[in-house]
Amino acid sequence: MKRHAMSKSFSNGAGHVLRHYNSAVLLFSWQGKPDGSARYVEHVNRYVRNGVEYPSLAALLRGVEAEHAYKET
């Protein structure tokens, strides 16, 4: 049996997102350290992180990646 409903690496392995079964919360880590969370809002079919709405999971992951690229410069 799988432990998680979703476990996905992104940004060449620097980022990771995890979602448990029956949960709308996505947990993020960046370079192995906790990096906050996001929530899937089903009735509007959007993801929300830090007050910003994203239309898809791909857009959310690009936003997290851009957030870290901005922090590194």
Side-chain angles (χ1 to χ4, degrees), residues 4-72:
H4 307 103
M6 181 182 68
S7 177
K8 180 174 182 74
S9 293
F10 62 98
S11 190
N12 294 324
H16 186 259
V17 61
L18 177 73
R19 183 177 68 85
H20 293 279
Y21 283 103
N22 298 325
S23 175
V25 177
L26 289 83
L27 303 173
F28 288 88
S29 63
W30 190 263
Q31 296 179 344
K33 297 178 184 169
D35 188 46
S37 63
R39 179 171 290 280
Y40 176 67
V41 183
E42 189 172 353
H43 69 276
V44 292
N45 198 27
R46 301 262 190 231
Y47 293 88
V48 178
R49 176 177 162 101
N50 298 333
V52 179
E53 286 190 6
Y54 298 90
S56 67
L57 179 60
L60 172 61
L61 298 181
R62 284 192 303 269
V64 171
E65 188 174 359
E67 179 183 311
H68 285 280
Y70 179 75
K71 286 180 184 178
E72 292 176 4

